[in-house]
Amino acid sequence: MGAPFNDEVVTIKLGKNSGDPIVITVNCADKIGLTCDFARVIFDYGLTVVRGDVSTDGKWCYLIFWVLPRPGSPRRFPWAMLRKNLTSICPPNPAQLFFGIYSDPKPPKVYVLQISLLDRAGLLNDMSQVLWDLEFSIQKVKASTTPDGRVMDLFFVIDNRDMLHSEKRQVEACNRIKTVLGESATHCEIRVVPDLGTMDCASFSLLRPSIIEDLCKLSLTDSETDAKSVYANKNVQATQDLQANKGLQATNFIQANGSLTSKISVTIDNSLSPAHTLLQISCKDRKGLFYDVLRTLKDYNIQISYGRLSTNAKGICEVDLFILQADGRKIIDPQKQTCLRSRLEIEVSHPVRVKVVDRGPDTELLVASRVEICGRCRPRVLYDVTLVLKTLDISIFTADLVRYAMGDLQWEVYRFLLVDRPDLLLESSRTRSHITERIENMLIG
């Protein structure tokens, strides 16, 4: 128990006693957004960051995370797999570049996994878990139920081991899936996807634009431009006008959803450091909080030089970050500060959107979350949502996952067509509110 895994880049030291935090230490070359990448992996493994320290000079970083497994985590936690994944996202150090032992990674291949089996409650949740265990990242999913009670599932996945091209890995994956899902899984096939981009928005043809716009409405609405350009110095007057508009829209959103942000404090201060802007956030701790803060800063191309996160006994999280713009300067412009502050307030309070709507005579559940500028999506959404539906004993008739562009922002939207039953009136506003509340609590509670 206390001995760290031997690795010069990432070490994981388990607690001596049950309930003690696990200490994850990272020491590697730095880049903008790297801390967010680490926080995302930690979030994906179901760990809660209770404390964190960040230090970097812009070229090299030293990070420490004190984490705890969430309730329900397996007793034999895959620490070695976590360390491997954390190490894989570290940038190359100068020695690797100098001696030519590092090359830019190729874009990962996307495979389609096709499964056919008898329908049953909780099937999609079990599938999402087994794919995670196999180290597959789900890019898209399409699940449908046939009149004879069979399910045809299509999962578009990336193999994090980069071995799915081999027959041995494919056989291993299909055997594992059939073992978990049972004898009714009669068909399992894996093949390379030639082009995934053509399917991006096809599933939205039957969904009213007003529903999507309401679901994906952020404070920055239709006039949002690429977050990377927010702090660019080109066309200063146009940028300032846009930021002022964003700040006003954010204020309107917060006023309309005051209960979401009433306990969130975001402060930007330039008086305490001659070289850095101090960003302070205080709010109630929740699932994925650290990731959502860092994701927002990464989208704005903001560099973190020093930082600390801590959670007190009352569950209040305090985040102190010394930050710089991409050009190495402090954030002085009041309009830029307003834009960043408003965006953080909303991303901290409302990172996912859940809505239950009518789809003709049927009931559809929609769950939306922001996609990072780099294209990565929020972890664990499919598993968490299907787990709630499984515990509520609500069956899924069809499901799909697509990405929707709203301006220059991308959203990942899950669509679930729910199966009605006599003892559960899905058209009831009370039932829909209960489903929405349970899913929101699972995703960010």
Side-chain angles (χ1 to χ4, degrees), residues 40 44 110-111 113 124-133 135-142 154-160 196 375-383 386 400-403 412 414:
R40 185 189 183 280
D44 191 23
V110 179
Y111 296 82
L113 170 63
L124 199 53
N125 181 255
D126 294 340
M127 270 301 305
S128 62
Q129 179 62 50
V130 71
L131 294 181
W132 190 92
D133 292 338
E135 298 184 60
F136 290 169
S137 296
I138 301 174
Q139 303 299 299
K140 294 182 183 295
V141 59
K142 287 186 174 294
L154 295 176
F155 292 90
F156 297 83
V157 300
I158 291 174
D159 183 12
N160 294 325
L196 192 63
R376 280 194 288 264
C377 57
R378 186 180 188 82
R380 303 182 66 85
V381 176
L382 178 63
Y383 176 81
T386 54
D400 62 11
L401 163 64
V402 291
R403 291 191 175 184
E412 184 181 66
Y414 289 85

Side-chain angles (χ1 to χ4, degrees), residues 213-222 224 249-250 253 343 346-347 350-351 353 370 406 409 411:
E213 291 176 4
D214 182 60
L215 182 71
C216 299
K217 178 175 60 179
L218 194 61
S219 62
L220 313 179
T221 64
D222 299 335
E224 172 74 84
Q249 293 166 350
F253 182 91
R343 175 72 174 274
I346 294 172
E347 294 288 3
H350 215 49
R353 312 299 169 86
R370 281 287 310 282
M406 190 172 183
L409 295 179
W411 291 81

Side-chain angles (χ1 to χ4, degrees), residues 52-56 64 290 304-309 319-322:
D53 282 329
V54 179
S55 179
T56 175
I64 307 178
F290 197 38
I304 300 174
S305 297
Y306 309 97
R308 175 166 295 180
L309 173 144
V319 181
D320 299 313
L321 302 173
F322 288 88

Side-chain angles (χ1 to χ4, degrees), residues 154-426:
L154 295 176
F155 292 90
F156 297 83
V157 300
I158 291 174
D159 183 12
N160 294 325
R161 296 185 193 173
D162 196 21
M163 297 174 59
L164 203 50
H165 58 276
S166 68
E167 182 179 355
K168 179 180 179 181
R169 174 69 163 152
Q170 294 182 13
V171 171
E172 173 198 0
C174 286
N175 288 341
R176 179 70 176 276
I177 290 170
K178 291 180 178 180
T179 299
V180 173
L181 300 183
E183 297 179 356
S184 66
T186 57
H187 177 77
C188 179
E189 180 185 359
I190 300 174
R191 62 182 185 274
V192 178
V193 178
D195 182 15
L196 192 63
T198 57
M199 300 183 59
D200 278 350
C201 297
S203 298
F204 283 95
S205 58
L206 300 178
L207 196 59
R208 294 195 306 272
S210 59
I211 294 178
I212 285 296
E213 291 176 4
D214 182 60
L215 182 71
C216 299
K217 178 175 60 179
L218 194 61
S219 62
L220 313 179
T221 64
D222 299 335
S223 63
E224 172 74 84
T225 59
D226 188 341
K228 290 182 179 179
S229 66
V230 170
Y231 290 94
N233 291 323
K234 298 178 181 179
N235 197 352
V236 175
Q237 184 58 49
T239 302
Q240 290 177 349
D241 293 342
L242 175 61
Q243 289 163 351
N245 188 33
K246 290 177 182 178
L248 178 59
Q249 293 166 350
T251 302
N252 293 339
F253 182 91
I254 294 167
Q255 290 173 349
N257 300 273
S259 60
L260 298 173
T261 58
S262 57
K263 296 182 179 180
I264 298 174
S265 172
V266 179
T267 304
I268 297 176
D269 192 339
N270 282 301
S271 63
L272 296 179
S273 170
H276 297 86
T277 295
L278 173 61
L279 172 65
Q280 294 179 301
I281 302 173
S282 177
C283 62
K284 185 175 177 60
D285 193 21
R286 62 156 176 81
K287 191 175 180 179
L289 174 63
F290 197 38
Y291 165 71
D292 286 322
V293 171
L294 298 176
R295 170 179 57 83
T296 304
L297 297 180
K298 180 180 179 181
D299 282 354
Y300 277 87
N301 208 24
I302 289 177
Q303 171 76 45
I304 300 174
S305 297
Y306 309 97
R308 175 166 295 180
L309 173 144
S310 61
T311 305
N312 62 27
K314 295 182 179 180
I316 301 300
C317 182
E318 303 283 348
V319 181
D320 299 313
L321 302 173
F322 288 88
I323 59 177
L324 294 171
Q325 298 180 119
D327 59 6
R329 299 178 181 179
K330 300 169 67 171
I331 305 174
I332 302 295
D333 191 324
Q335 292 177 328
K336 292 182 179 180
Q337 295 180 13
T338 299
C339 177
L340 178 60
R341 184 186 302 110
S342 301
R343 175 72 174 274
L344 281 168
E345 287 175 345
I346 294 172
E347 294 288 3
V348 166
S349 63
H350 215 49
V352 295
R353 312 299 169 86
V354 182
K355 196 175 186 67
V356 181
V357 300
D358 292 322
R359 182 176 174 184
D362 301 313
T363 302
E364 188 170 52
L365 168 66
L366 304 174
V367 181
S369 61
R370 281 287 310 282
V371 178
E372 293 180 27
I373 291 295
C374 63
R376 280 194 288 264
C377 57
R378 186 180 188 82
R380 303 182 66 85
V381 176
L382 178 63
Y383 176 81
D384 286 344
V385 173
T386 54
L387 179 60
V388 171
L389 296 177
K390 181 179 179 179
T391 57
L392 293 176
D393 197 23
I394 298 177
S395 298
I396 301 170
F397 185 72
T398 62
D400 62 11
L401 163 64
V402 291
R403 291 191 175 184
Y404 178 75
M406 190 172 183
D408 289 328
L409 295 179
Q410 270 204 336
W411 291 81
E412 184 181 66
V413 182
Y414 289 85
R415 301 177 60 191
F416 303 92
L417 191 62
L418 307 180
V419 178
D420 208 345
R421 63 176 197 261
D423 60 327
L424 182 67
L425 300 177
L426 291 176

